[in-house]
Amino acid sequence: MYPYISDNSDKNIKNISAAQKYVFDTKRIAELIESATENKYKAADTYKKIADNTSDSEQEAVVRSIYNEEIKNIELLKELYTDITGSNFDNADTEFNIELDFGNMSEIFKTMCKAEIESAGFFRDMAEITKDMPGNFSETLLVIMNDEQNHSVLDSLMFTECIFNENKE
C-alpha cells in the first residue's frame, strides 16, 4: 500500500491545505519517497518472479518490460531523494519474500493491476504537492505516474488473457 499515511505521522498526503502546499516539508517528502521506493522494489521483485515463472513468451516479454521500467523508476526516485536530502538513498532492504501462486496467474495480474492504479494515484498526489518545488521534481513524479498507469493497463490485459485461457481449458 502506498504511503498516504506513514506509520509515525497522521499527515494525509491528500489533506494538505492550500496554505501548506507552498511550504515544503522536505522531511515528510523524503519519507514518502523512501516508502515509494521500497514499494517500487517490491513491485520489481514481483514482476521479476512472474517473468521467471511464466511459460508464455509474450507474457514474459511484457512483464520484463514492466520490470525494466520499475528499475528505471527506482533510479529516478533515488535521484529525487538525493536532490531533496543531499544524501544517497540507503537501499539496504531490497530483498523480499513475496509468495506468488503461479497456478493462479489471473489473480496475480488482478492484484498487480490494483497496486499499479493505487501507485499512479500516489504519484499524481505527490506531483501536485511538489509542483512548485524547484527543478523537475514534479515532472519526474508525473513520468513515474504515467508508467504506473501503463503498467495497470498491461496488467489488466494480461489478467484478461489469463481469464480467457482459464475458461478455454
Side-chain angles (χ1 to χ4, degrees), residues 2-164:
Y2 269 81
Y4 286 104
I5 301 174
S6 74
D7 296 338
N8 59 1
S9 173
D10 63 355
K11 294 180 188 176
N12 187 315
I13 192 172
K14 289 184 173 182
N15 292 336
I16 294 177
S17 72
Q20 289 175 308
K21 80 177 185 179
Y22 298 108
V23 178
F24 305 112
D25 181 351
T26 56
K27 182 178 182 232
R28 177 69 177 135
I29 293 171
E31 289 171 357
L32 291 168
I33 291 171
E34 284 176 359
S35 185
T37 304
E38 181 178 324
N39 284 327
K40 296 262 110 237
Y41 273 115
K42 288 178 184 175
D45 188 50
T46 301
Y47 284 119
K48 184 174 182 336
K49 287 179 180 174
I50 294 168
D52 290 346
N53 287 283
T54 186
S55 58
D56 182 326
S57 61
E58 287 181 31
Q59 191 177 76
E60 179 185 358
V62 170
V63 173
R64 287 212 190 278
S65 73
I66 295 173
Y67 167 80
N68 290 332
E69 287 182 351
E70 294 289 1
I71 296 301
K72 175 196 76 168
N73 290 337
I74 289 168
E75 293 307 314
L76 290 173
L77 287 169
K78 289 162 87 174
E79 288 175 22
L80 291 179
Y81 183 86
T82 300
D83 288 349
I84 198 167
T85 66
S87 61
N88 291 328
F89 183 82
D90 177 23
N91 57 340
D93 190 18
T94 59
E95 299 272 334
F96 305 99
N97 284 331
I98 297 172
E99 298 288 326
L100 300 172
D101 177 7
F102 293 108
N104 193 354
M105 292 299 284
S106 61
E107 190 61 33
I108 291 171
F109 286 120
K110 182 170 95 174
T111 300
M112 293 308 291
C113 182
K114 289 178 181 179
E116 295 287 7
I117 291 168
E118 182 180 354
S119 176
F122 168 79
F123 287 108
R124 177 203 60 224
D125 293 344
M126 281 289 289
E128 175 62 27
I129 66 168
T130 61
K131 70 181 177 187
D132 295 319
M133 287 181 71
N136 294 328
F137 206 92
S138 182
E139 290 84 0
T140 300
L141 294 169
L142 289 173
V143 167
I144 297 170
M145 178 199 76
N146 187 355
D147 284 347
E148 299 306 281
Q149 291 172 327
N150 291 337
H151 299 168
S152 70
V153 170
L154 292 170
D155 286 334
S156 178
L157 174 66
M158 289 182 288
F159 166 75
T160 303
E161 287 177 352
C162 287
I163 291 293
F164 178 76

